[in-house]
Amino acid sequence: MTRGRRRRWRIGLGAAVGSLLAGTAVLPSSAADAADAADVTDYTVTVDPSRTGATIDDSMYGVFFEDINRAADGGLYAELVQNRSFEYTTADNKAYTPLTAWTAGGTARTVDDDGRLNARNRTYLSLGADASVTNSGYGTGITVAKGRTYDFSVWARADSVLTVTLDDADGALAAPKRVRAKGGWTKYTATFTAKRASTTGRLSVATTRTAALDMVSLFPRDTYKGRENGLRKDLAEKIAALRPGFVRFPGGCLVNTGSMEGYDAASGYQRTRSYQWKDTVGPVEQRATNANFWGYNQSYGLGYYEYFQFAEDIGAMPLPVVPALVTGCGQNQAVDDDALLERHIQDTLDLIEFANGPVTSEWGKKRAQMGHPKPFHLTHLEVGNEENLPEAFFARFKEFRAAITAEYPDVSVISNSGPDDSGSVFDAAWKLNKDADVDMVDEHYYNSPQWFLQNNDRYDSYDRNGPKVFLGEYASGGNTFANALSEAAYMTGLERNADVVKLASYAPLLARQDTVQWRPDMIWFDDQKAWGSADYEVQKLFMRNVGDQVVPSTATNTPSTTAPITGAVGLSTWATSAAYDDVRVTGADGTSLLNDDFSGDAGRWTPSGSGSWSIQDGRYVQSDEAAENTLVTAGDPSWHDYDLHAKATKESGKEGFLVAFGVKDTGNYYWWNLGGWNNTQSAVEQAVNGGKSTLLATAGSIETGRAYDIDIKVRGRQVTLYLDGQEWGSFKDDKPAEPFRQVVTRDKKTGDLIVKVVNAQDARARTTVKLGGAKVAKSAAVTTLAAAPEAENTASETPVRPVTSTFAGVADTFSYTFPANSVTFLRIKKR
């Protein structure tokens, strides 16, 4: 996953799709039909059962777990104590201290000295006589359920009686426990049974004499599958209910950011590291902690062993990702250290041995000691994640692949194509992957619903003999049903191209409601409950009804019109101060539409509300470096076929500048983003209802203090861009956003024919289905997701949920009207 601004908007579909529809082909035959004609469009789906389509692997759809939005600690990992080992530091978050989430009564201090529990658990708590410490857990507090059992443990070095209590503002939640601690570091345990429920619990440990404490823990006994050091049951069950074919883990940006050094004396116990698997196995008190890229601490209690175990428990293929020694996610540096590279390659070989090796091997023995003597059957492994330096990445990838293939030829080694769906990095990465005959390439993209509706055919033209595709991260940028509809429409194209797209996973998977770094997310939760988004319901419907083989089919399209790009113009910045001058807009016939040299005021420009804009020395300057998306606009939304000129200068800050055109409003426009993504690339982005897609991109940066001449020529839907008089690029935005998509698959085990139809528009889709002589039963089991485009599942409401029914009118040719804004699966049994 890449930290990038174009991925952060909440978006809807509705009117954006409706505006692309020209009308319907319905001819009303009665007064009732005439009344209905305005909201019905006619289609035909033709199935050809005599032909064989792509085979769909059982593992095609899976999940991607990354510790973002507190997905692990405070989430899937069931530990209820926050900062249990007193390892929080400012490296994790500027607001953190070793006592974050703790309140001390009496003398209490954290200590980092040779008296620690072990070398990898650097900090412990020293309590004075008659002192105590209280943990507040996550969110509003420690959540317990009446009658449930909770296991307490602590490592102590003391000669004292420890009194452990679990209570809230209303009093005790369970009977207090007393533990007699004596001698050196020893683990002590106790059990609580909650006598009432609470969401604001506090866990306290008090001592009669001086004591050293570490690894203070409270775990629900009722974890998923009853695993020790296990997973929060409701969240794990929500994931298991998807029936995913694989689990990708652990990242994401966690894999390819920070130091690639180890957590040891040689590195000074580096706290900002890439996720390295050996840090995460063995007894939890001996595992390292780390600064999480997303702004908090990760304890590694949920580590590689638990990940493999969870994948096995839900019947999914494990798919780990290891660092390639090239950082990404805005860091973009290649690590040149041959010894370190060799160590990471050996670590990767050891990981495969840990997963698959016999108990007589070094790492197979460690797996067995953790409780799993049988192998985990690892078959796929990914090296790297979204590296933005394709040549540097691929040089290292080849060394990983050579070593893995030499020792484990049956393990498929997956590469990637950078952080975007197109552009110079994408093209360079794909060429390197093709030339080296890589098994599979991981693509990532987060785009608008319109992009997903426009690009259903993306993989139709991919080389059938080239590397296969792993769509490891994708989402349409929001959690409304409109977003889910666009993703469902896109998934029909993934299935149709299952001979190319072998794996696909929506991302991210989990989000804790009170700690969100990224939207959208598939499953949301708080301390009491978990709920699936509209996107979750779509993913579940597809995962549970994949089928084994595509049955070729075609469908008629929705009539559409393509009007010229229209809109006003705009100027913007992002985490940057920039100055603009000499803004001119000229019609195709030479008519001056706008001419502003900022010698007067800025009265022609309308700000969007952010940033600090002012006239300074005859230039229009945005001076707030912290402000993001400071768009100001001028002109008429009806303008079309014009030339836009502007002079732009970066004054200071992280990025460059943005010049907008085709601006309808603050959520619908195009802009040329020069020096975006921490000043590493430039791109043309299109915003539709606030959600962005990249239309054109190339690497490059913007110099501070240099004035650039920017020219944008708009003709119809063709746009050509010039930088300092030289053509930078061009594109034609004329692809229809088709709202009616379908695919048909067959389940070999049952013989069922599965007709999957997405109708992502406000009109019903009255459809003639022709089965081409397939021998089928006269009825179909129907599952439908239908809701308003803006509908969104929450903790209290679930407007997007599956409804099942039976349709009794199946024949070789039959009619079915698919509801507006719906996903419908007709499962037809073999006759």
Side-chain angles (χ1 to χ4, degrees), residues 560-676:
S560 64
T561 58
T562 305
I565 292 173
T566 60
V569 298
L571 310 170
S572 189
T573 61
W574 200 291
T576 303
S577 172
Y580 290 93
D581 201 357
D582 297 332
V583 179
R584 300 190 301 272
V585 182
T586 307
D589 61 357
T591 304
S592 176
L593 302 175
L594 175 70
N595 193 339
D596 201 338
D597 64 2
F598 302 107
S599 56
D601 60 25
R604 301 177 184 179
W605 297 87
T606 301
S608 60
S610 61
S612 179
W613 289 92
S614 62
I615 302 291
Q616 298 180 20
D617 300 323
R619 301 185 304 168
Y620 199 22
V621 179
Q622 197 296 111
S623 55
D624 184 353
E625 284 186 32
E628 298 180 342
N629 193 5
T630 64
L631 185 67
V632 292
T633 59
D636 191 326
S638 68
W639 281 354
H640 62 88
D641 297 294
Y642 56 77
D643 297 310
L644 166 61
H645 171 82
K647 191 177 289 292
T649 305
K650 173 182 177 178
E651 302 286 281
S652 59
K654 296 179 180 179
E655 306 211 346
F657 30 78
L658 306 104
V659 178
F661 56 97
V663 180
K664 290 181 171 55
D665 52 49
T666 55
N668 295 275
Y669 55 85
Y670 301 81
W671 68 17
W672 189 3
N673 180 352
L674 291 131

Side-chain angles (χ1 to χ4, degrees), residues 63 79 137 176 196 211 288 294 318 382 403 425 454 458 466 491 527 552 577 615 632 635 701 758 770:
V63 294
E79 173 66 77
R196 58 184 175 85
W294 298 106
E382 185 172 355
V425 169
Q454 288 177 318
R458 175 181 176 89
M491 292 170 79
D527 286 320
S577 172
I615 302 291
V632 292
S701 60
V758 180
K770 300 179 178 181

Side-chain angles (χ1 to χ4, degrees), residues 150-421:
Y150 298 87
D151 293 320
F152 166 81
S153 64
V154 63
W155 283 80
R157 190 188 68 216
D159 185 3
S160 177
V161 173
L162 305 179
T163 301
V164 188
T165 58
L166 182 60
D167 55 20
D168 63 10
D170 294 327
L173 292 169
K177 303 293 180 178
R178 287 178 173 77
V179 175
R180 181 71 173 93
K182 188 174 181 64
W185 285 109
T186 304
K187 183 178 181 180
Y188 301 94
T189 63
T191 300
F192 290 98
T193 299
K195 59 186 181 183
R196 58 184 175 85
S198 177
T199 62
T200 58
R202 298 291 188 267
L203 178 75
S204 298
V205 182
T207 180
T208 55
R209 298 181 181 180
T210 301
L213 306 180
D214 209 341
M215 295 297 292
V216 183
S217 172
L218 186 69
F219 244 87
R221 178 77 57 84
D222 189 20
T223 59
Y224 185 65
K225 299 287 186 181
R227 304 289 184 195
E228 187 179 356
N229 193 50
L231 306 181
R232 180 173 148 175
K233 190 174 182 180
D234 62 337
L235 284 178
E237 288 176 341
K238 209 71 170 172
I239 299 168
L242 292 165
R243 299 180 190 167
F246 66 87
V247 182
R248 178 175 178 252
F249 176 95
C253 289
L254 305 188
V255 167
N256 67 337
T257 55
S259 169
M260 300 291 166
E261 300 286 344
Y263 192 59
D264 49 35
S267 70
Y269 292 96
Q270 173 63 247
R271 284 303 307 275
T272 307
R273 311 182 309 285
S274 62
Y275 195 111
Q276 299 175 44
W277 80 271
K278 288 182 179 177
D279 288 342
T280 76
V281 297
V284 290
E285 69 274 7
Q286 295 176 16
R287 300 183 190 181
T289 66
N290 199 8
N292 183 293
F293 174 80
W294 298 106
Y296 50 90
N297 176 277
Q298 53 191 141
S299 72
Y300 288 148
L302 173 53
Y304 258 78
Y305 177 82
E306 290 76 22
Y307 150 63
F308 279 127
Q309 182 67 75
F310 181 53
E312 181 180 85
D313 284 343
I314 63 176
M317 177 182 79
L319 204 164
V321 186
V322 299
L325 273 73
V326 178
T327 59
C329 303
Q331 298 181 3
N332 302 333
Q333 293 183 343
V335 178
D336 291 315
D337 185 326
D338 290 342
L340 190 58
L341 176 61
E342 184 177 344
R343 192 268 284 175
H344 274 267
I345 291 173
Q346 185 58 52
D347 281 354
T348 302
L349 297 174
D350 292 343
L351 171 60
I352 300 172
E353 183 176 285
F354 178 77
N356 294 349
V359 295
T360 54
S361 66
E362 177 185 359
W363 288 99
K365 181 179 180 181
K366 291 183 184 296
R367 181 194 69 239
Q369 289 171 341
M370 293 186 71
H372 201 285
K374 293 182 179 180
F376 283 117
H377 305 294
L378 174 66
T379 59
H380 291 67
L381 182 144
E382 185 172 355
V383 176
N385 170 74
E386 293 188 2
E387 281 71 29
N388 215 21
L389 303 171
E391 290 79 10
F393 160 71
F394 205 75
R396 291 155 180 77
F397 172 84
K398 287 193 297 184
E399 295 197 44
F400 276 88
R401 185 177 67 159
I404 294 167
T405 302
E407 194 159 338
Y408 299 102
D410 293 333
V411 173
S412 179
V413 186
I414 302 172
S415 180
N416 74 79
S417 58
D420 295 298
D421 59 84

Side-chain angles (χ1 to χ4, degrees), residues 383-564:
V383 176
N385 170 74
E386 293 188 2
E387 281 71 29
N388 215 21
L389 303 171
E391 290 79 10
F393 160 71
F394 205 75
R396 291 155 180 77
F397 172 84
K398 287 193 297 184
E399 295 197 44
F400 276 88
R401 185 177 67 159
I404 294 167
T405 302
E407 194 159 338
Y408 299 102
D410 293 333
V411 173
S412 179
V413 186
I414 302 172
S415 180
N416 74 79
S417 58
D420 295 298
D421 59 84
S422 61
S424 57
V425 169
F426 179 88
D427 292 341
W430 256 105
K431 185 178 188 309
L432 290 166
N433 285 310
K434 283 184 177 180
D435 290 348
D437 195 24
V438 167
D439 289 345
M440 192 177 294
V441 178
D442 187 3
E443 294 187 354
H444 295 177
Y445 37 84
Y446 296 84
N447 288 320
S448 69
Q450 176 162 303
W451 185 94
F452 282 96
L453 294 179
Q454 288 177 318
N455 288 278
N456 179 275
D457 63 349
R458 175 181 176 89
Y459 296 107
D460 290 0
S461 59
Y462 270 49
D463 182 359
R464 276 28 217 177
N465 298 312
K468 303 306 179 185
V469 173
F470 172 21
L471 180 49
E473 297 182 28
Y474 72 97
S476 70
N479 279 142
T480 68
F481 190 47
N483 297 106
L485 283 170
S486 71
E487 292 152 6
Y490 193 71
M491 292 170 79
T492 66
L494 300 183
E495 290 193 6
R496 187 177 64 251
N497 289 286
D499 57 327
V500 169
V501 183
K502 307 305 289 183
L503 306 168
S505 51
Y506 178 101
L509 177 62
L510 295 173
R512 183 183 169 94
Q513 194 174 37
D514 61 4
T515 314
V516 181
Q517 292 86 37
W518 188 285
R519 297 174 187 267
D521 303 285
M522 193 196 297
I523 299 170
W524 290 79
F525 64 93
D526 56 24
D527 286 320
Q528 292 83 52
K529 65 183 299 186
W531 60 97
S533 64
D535 316 74
Y536 172 86
E537 294 298 343
V538 162
Q539 292 292 323
K540 184 168 68 172
L541 186 58
F542 273 84
M543 287 191 207
R544 295 171 71 124
N545 296 277
V546 181
D548 302 289
Q549 194 154 48
V550 174
V551 181
S553 61
T554 58
T556 52
N557 296 326
T558 307
S560 64
T561 58
T562 305

